[in-house]
Amino acid sequence: LARAPDERKPPFTVVPAELKGRERRPQGGVRLVGRAQPGDLVCFFPGVVFTQRDVWHLPGGTDALADANAFAMHNGAIVSASHCHLLPREATANRLALGHEINHPRARTQPNVVPFGLEMEVATLRDELAPFLPNASFSAVASAAEAESRQSLDDMFRSSILSGDFAADSGDEACSTRSTLVMVALREICDEELCVNYRLNPRSGAPRPDWYEPVSALEEELRWST
């Protein structure tokens, strides 16, 4: 008799990729092992979520995050995965929290995942699931005054993500929801490296990295024209 497939076994997992030779890429890379279908959530982008109002309280505004491994969401929030905003991989409950390591596509290739922002109601998130959300809200763990103390913030962010204590009550309605960023499969993916279109700002004036080739100049313009 044919053996029935184990429905409890996930159809894929994600692991750090290995760069070939002296290849220059912005991140370490992520590889999907198994098979994902179009529309599947394949990765979380971990780190600290800064709302537009949070950025106003940061000394230097968005310049304070210029060197961070960060992703801008369509709601104006910024998710920072810089080293001071991340937990060590072995301390993170969510093994899919590798979105910050996904590379931009190589020249003349297309992305296979797309970023998608989610708003989660903190009150509806069960306690046992909280540690699997690899994001902490800047608003929930720091005040504007504490934003001037980088070292204390680092400790607060790490302990907040590790404990799952995301719903700190600051009397702010913003704390009732949590923004998170996920990577969704654009097509069927089978044992491949994941790639996402970085869509760098063409109007920033900064020189483009030598590894970066636009997937679509029109898409970049549309992204940064709003």
Side-chain angles (χ1 to χ4, degrees):
L1 294 177
R3 184 177 179 180
D6 187 352
E7 295 181 357
R8 296 170 299 177
K9 184 179 180 180
F12 64 84
T13 187
V14 291
V15 297
E18 295 182 4
L19 297 182
K20 299 178 181 179
R22 298 182 178 180
E23 184 179 22
R24 299 183 65 181
R25 305 292 296 282
Q27 306 299 338
V30 177
R31 182 174 179 81
L32 184 142
V33 179
R35 188 183 301 273
Q37 300 299 323
D40 280 352
L41 187 161
V42 298
C43 267
F44 286 78
F45 193 99
V48 175
V49 180
F50 295 82
T51 66
Q52 288 179 310
R53 186 170 62 177
D54 293 334
V55 175
W56 279 102
H57 292 304
L58 290 176
T62 54
D63 289 343
L65 300 174
D67 296 328
N69 180 357
F71 220 106
M73 299 171 64
H74 282 284
N75 64 359
I78 297 175
V79 187
S80 170
S82 65
H83 71 280
C84 63
H85 296 155
L86 291 177
L87 283 170
R89 184 169 297 150
E90 60 271 15
T92 304
N94 190 339
R95 300 305 178 188
L96 298 181
L98 290 175
H100 63 300
E101 293 286 351
I102 297 178
N103 276 310
H104 182 77
R106 294 176 175 84
R108 295 177 295 282
T109 63
Q110 294 295 314
N112 52 19
V113 296
V114 63
F116 188 81
L118 294 176
E119 292 287 337
M120 294 190 176
E121 293 287 341
V122 175
T124 64
L125 191 64
R126 299 203 305 262
D127 291 342
E128 63 268 27
L129 295 180
F132 291 92
L133 186 62
N135 301 102
S137 168
F138 180 89
S139 301
V141 297
S143 67
E146 287 169 330
E148 298 178 2
S149 177
R150 184 78 174 183
Q151 184 60 47
S152 66
L153 276 183
D154 294 350
D155 294 339
M156 291 172 69
F157 290 143
R158 291 173 184 269
S159 63
S160 177
I161 297 174
L162 185 60
S163 66
D165 182 19
F166 303 129
D169 183 11
S170 66
D172 192 335
E173 292 182 1
C175 292
S176 65
T177 61
R178 175 60 37 76
S179 294
T180 189
L181 187 68
V182 299
M183 299 294 174
V184 176
L186 283 169
R187 56 169 174 80
E188 183 178 82
I189 305 172
C190 182
D191 296 329
E192 301 175 43
E193 181 182 354
L194 300 180
C195 294
V196 63
N197 185 0
Y198 281 15
R199 296 185 301 180
L200 297 185
N201 188 348
R203 306 176 185 180
S204 69
R208 295 289 179 93
D210 56 8
W211 49 260
Y212 184 83
E213 181 172 310
V215 173
S216 167
L218 176 60
E219 188 174 341
E220 285 185 353
E221 286 291 337
L222 292 174
R223 169 65 183 88
W224 294 101
S225 63
T226 56

